[in-house]
Amino acid sequence: MKKILKITGILLMIFILFIVIEVVISYKCLTVKNYNIESDKIKENVKVVLVSDLHEGTFGENNKRLVSKIKECKPDLILFDGDMINEESKNLQTVITLVKRLKETAPVYYALGNHEIGYLDRKTSDLYGELKKAGAVVLEKNYEDIKVKNHTIRIGGLYEYAFAVDGQGKMSKKDMNSGLRDFLMDFEDTKAFKIMMSHRPDSFIFGQAADTWKIDLVVSGHAHGGQVILPGMGGLYGADQGWFPKYVDGIHHFRTVKNMIVTRGLGSDKEKLPRFNNIPEIVVINLKK
């Protein structure tokens, strides 16, 4: 009996050690995930780096490892897709330092996540002004047409839901807030390649939004890959998507939103469960002719 208890105790210790190691890896290691997107709107290959959900985390002093990893990717554009801070952050110093260290590598575009919205509501500091001064372009319900190599790319930011539904649960543009509807209609009205930074994939996967708005690429984060990734089963929970969600990782295709890439992100706020089996992710999107 004592031998069985001893063996059980050893196995339990090994299991606990495994859990601890996996949690540490899921917060402190970095991986790079590549996606290729082909389009006849792209005349010369463009490399986009996407990061999201840093949650004021650090990878080395002043995020030295994160900066180095992004620079190694040699991006033409860098997208910060929300929740780079926490709602209760005392200041923006972590993300400001990150922007300053990356802006010479490539233009940095920043979209709001729910934590930036909360930070703004608390009136902690001038988020828009400080990020602009650091060198980032903040996009929320607006867009810019930018020259990248030999063509124009339209890049926008949208935190809100990109839909409204009628009494039968069908997409209804007329029931949408007019400012939001007009922004989306204006955004899609171009021959340029269109990228929408939308922190929550929920903004487009619900309400037939991804089958309504003509957008070449939507990039999202928010769900942290499901927070806990179970082998063979995927992410455990995804905010509005519930248990074992589909749209918390990878690339997805819809009728009019041609491509949606969802990153697992770089970190996590105070969740009920820690990130597990879920290595922080830098996404590289290769836009190809």
Side-chain angles (χ1 to χ4, degrees):
M1 186 66 176
K2 287 184 179 180
K3 187 175 181 180
I4 293 174
L5 289 174
K6 185 177 181 180
I7 292 172
T8 300
I10 292 171
L11 291 175
L12 181 60
M13 288 176 64
I14 291 172
F15 178 71
I16 292 171
L17 182 61
F18 167 74
I19 296 294
V20 170
I21 290 171
E22 279 295 335
V23 170
V24 171
I25 288 172
S26 296
Y27 281 91
K28 292 302 179 184
C29 292
L30 283 168
T31 188
V32 177
K33 183 68 176 290
N34 281 271
Y35 297 96
N36 295 323
I37 293 176
E38 294 183 356
S39 172
D40 57 9
K41 298 179 182 179
I42 298 297
K43 307 305 178 187
E44 187 176 351
N45 293 355
V46 175
K47 185 176 289 187
V48 181
V49 161
L50 166 68
V51 291
S52 181
D53 299 281
L54 180 64
H55 287 288
E56 212 176 22
T58 55
F59 295 85
E61 186 178 358
N62 290 324
N63 270 309
K64 182 179 179 180
R65 288 194 295 119
L66 177 58
V67 169
S68 177
K69 206 79 167 173
I70 291 174
K71 286 184 175 181
E72 285 175 12
C73 297
K74 298 181 178 178
D76 299 301
L77 293 172
I78 300 172
L79 309 182
F80 285 13
D81 203 9
D83 281 8
M84 300 297 285
I85 61 171
N86 292 321
E87 178 180 340
E88 66 275 10
S89 293
K90 294 180 180 179
N91 56 57
L92 302 172
Q93 193 54 52
T94 299
V95 73
I96 291 295
T97 300
L98 191 57
V99 170
K100 286 181 176 179
R101 298 188 69 187
L102 289 171
K103 67 179 180 180
E104 301 304 325
T105 301
V108 178
Y109 289 85
Y110 195 117
L112 304 185
N114 47 293
H115 280 267
E116 281 83 7
I117 299 293
Y119 185 90
L120 286 167
D121 288 343
R122 291 175 58 235
K123 297 180 172 59
T124 307
S125 69
D126 181 10
L127 183 143
Y128 279 84
E130 290 184 51
L131 287 171
K132 181 179 179 180
K133 185 177 179 181
V137 178
V138 182
L139 297 174
E140 169 52 31
K141 211 154 55 175
N142 64 331
Y143 65 83
E144 284 197 357
D145 290 329
I146 59 175
K147 283 288 184 182
V148 184
K149 295 185 175 177
N150 291 322
H151 41 61
T152 299
I153 289 178
R154 176 167 289 184
I155 181 166
L158 179 67
Y159 177 74
E160 294 181 48
Y161 290 118
F163 62 88
V165 294
D166 61 18
Q168 285 72 48
K170 301 293 185 181
M171 175 72 176
S172 174
K173 288 185 180 181
K174 69 179 180 64
D175 290 323
M176 294 178 68
N177 171 279
S178 59
L180 174 59
R181 181 185 63 241
D182 292 347
F183 162 66
L184 284 163
M185 291 177 69
D186 190 31
F187 179 81
E188 67 177 2
D189 185 21
T190 179
K191 293 181 179 179
F193 189 90
K194 298 179 287 285
I195 302 174
M196 181 69 82
M197 294 188 291
S198 179
H199 177 69
R200 301 175 296 179
D202 316 336
S203 295
F204 280 88
I205 63 173
F206 295 136
Q208 300 93 48
D211 294 325
T212 300
W213 302 109
K214 300 178 181 67
I215 302 175
D216 300 292
L217 172 62
V218 171
V219 293
S220 299
H222 186 56
H224 309 161
Q227 191 72 6
V228 172
I229 298 178
L230 301 177
M233 300 179 70
L236 183 64
Y237 190 77
D240 291 349
Q241 298 179 57
W243 297 100
F244 299 104
K246 181 177 180 180
Y247 302 105
V248 294
D249 185 24
I251 187 167
H252 309 274
H253 309 284
F254 304 89
R255 188 168 66 86
T256 54
V257 170
K258 298 301 183 184
N259 306 278
M260 173 183 279
I261 291 176
V262 186
T263 175
R264 298 195 308 271
L266 294 166
S268 174
D269 191 25
K270 302 176 184 68
E271 305 289 345
K272 292 180 180 179
L273 291 173
R275 285 178 73 110
F276 177 78
N277 190 31
N278 189 356
I279 302 176
E281 178 181 70
I282 296 167
V283 165
V284 175
I285 306 166
N286 300 293
L287 303 180
K288 298 195 170 190
K289 58 183 179 181

